[in-house]
Amino acid sequence: MRVLCVYRDERYSPNSVEKDKAILDAAGKRLCERGHTVSFVSERQLSRVDADVCLSMARSESALEVMRQSGARCVNHPDAIALCCHRSALDRLMRVNDIAMPPVEGADGFWLKRGDGVAEEKDDIVFCANEQALKVARQEMASRGISEQVVSTHVKGDLLKFYGVRGSGFFRCYYPADDGVSKFGNEVVNGKAHHYHYDEDTLRSEAERLARLAQVDVYGGDCIVRSDGTLAIIDFNDWPSFSRCREEAACAIAELIDNE
């Protein structure tokens, strides 16, 4: 089988360029070991997909359109990637389907995110301690040309990163406060992890349900575990870097390609 691996452009990998490249390289290596013919291309250079399978981390609309027109099996599918990149649409999908997520109202502050795309810089995700700070942040974001915005309430508790490959059985969780790995440093708002007890099977089930709704095969996200063990998914992404579990994830991705 011919597999084309498409690297994510640097603009969509803030502080994660090498880690994003590494997971695609690892998945490609596993597929080569399984006897497949694997090639690589950057999303900026993608003009056609001459392959049976397109293994893609691309996010630009031009690259997604090339994949849509190709007829190749795409992991992740370009429409699923587009949904994850459109934060407003993803937020609506989660709320309509009662995904465990932050409540509409709260008293512990707010998070403001650009709604028309994924975060490309630190100012695309802003913590606001109160409504006045939120108002100022919204104005500042609008002044940068970002009128479509998503607001969610801040949830106190332990921040968890989760990673999965839909339907494969692969699912891992990590506390970024324990290892200090961070993209923008926003994890400090939730502070030191208390390691509150929670049901990992419940989180896995909810994450898999969201992945199924979004039709995303390779996914990751952030979740808050409250002191009482209840969960709130605060972020969901197409194809993260899997830097904490790269080799395991690469094997699961390769198996996904072979088993479908």
Side-chain angles (χ1 to χ4, degrees):
M1 185 163 54
R2 299 168 302 157
V3 180
L4 177 64
C5 298
V6 185
Y7 291 118
R8 183 172 291 157
D9 189 74
E10 291 185 6
R11 66 176 288 195
Y12 302 116
S13 293
N15 303 320
S16 301
V17 173
E18 293 305 316
K19 290 187 289 187
D20 281 352
K21 180 178 183 296
I23 179 57
L24 199 61
D25 286 341
K29 179 181 178 182
R30 295 293 175 268
L31 287 165
C32 282
E33 292 171 349
R34 290 167 174 259
H36 302 299
T37 301
V38 181
S39 57
F40 295 82
V41 66
S42 69
E43 69 175 285
R44 286 194 182 189
Q45 297 174 326
L46 183 67
S47 59
R48 57 181 300 206
V49 178
D50 187 15
D52 304 299
V53 175
C54 182
L55 209 58
S56 178
M57 297 183 74
R59 284 177 170 168
S60 65
E61 184 52 43
S62 59
L64 298 185
E65 189 57 30
V66 170
M67 289 189 287
R68 287 189 187 100
Q69 300 298 324
S70 70
R73 176 188 169 203
C74 296
V75 178
N76 288 308
H77 191 278
D79 291 344
I81 296 171
L83 172 64
C84 288
C85 290
H86 193 166
R87 292 308 195 194
S88 295
L90 181 62
D91 185 81
R92 288 192 294 271
L93 176 74
M94 292 173 68
R95 293 202 181 278
V96 166
N97 288 280
D98 295 321
I99 294 294
M101 60 188 298
V104 175
E105 297 182 355
D108 298 309
F110 307 90
W111 287 95
L112 175 66
K113 301 179 183 180
R114 67 179 301 166
D116 62 345
V118 293
E120 297 180 26
E121 57 183 86
K122 185 176 177 62
D123 290 342
D124 288 341
I125 305 177
V126 183
F127 174 68
C128 307
N130 50 51
E131 291 189 4
Q132 179 58 34
L134 175 62
K135 180 179 178 181
V136 172
R138 295 196 72 155
Q139 292 172 342
E140 291 178 348
M141 190 172 284
S143 72
R144 295 167 49 218
I146 304 172
S147 59
E148 191 171 351
Q149 303 167 0
V150 174
V151 177
S152 62
T153 55
H154 175 66
V155 179
K156 290 184 176 180
D158 290 340
L159 175 63
L160 274 181
K161 296 278 186 181
F162 62 84
Y163 306 90
V165 178
R166 181 162 66 108
S168 72
F170 175 84
F171 188 79
R172 301 289 184 274
C173 299
Y174 300 89
Y175 295 90
D178 288 351
D179 61 25
V181 176
S182 174
K183 182 178 290 187
F184 295 123
N186 290 325
E187 290 84 355
V188 298
V189 177
N190 280 82
K192 181 181 178 180
H194 297 83
H195 300 95
Y196 297 128
H197 176 74
Y198 73 100
D199 187 341
E200 185 172 319
D201 287 340
T202 297
L203 175 56
R204 181 202 303 262
S205 176
E206 196 72 343
E208 284 279 301
R209 185 165 75 93
L210 178 52
R212 184 172 63 254
L213 288 167
Q215 298 186 321
V216 176
D217 292 310
V218 182
Y219 66 87
D222 296 351
C223 177
I224 301 298
V225 180
R226 299 181 182 90
S227 58
D228 64 359
T230 57
L231 307 170
I233 294 177
I234 60 172
D235 199 14
F236 185 79
N237 300 290
D238 62 288
W239 205 315
S241 65
F242 292 96
S243 59
R244 296 173 173 89
C245 49
R246 182 180 301 128
E247 294 306 318
E248 290 180 276
C251 290
I253 294 166
E255 289 176 6
L256 175 72
I257 300 304
D258 271 349
N259 292 338
E260 290 191 4

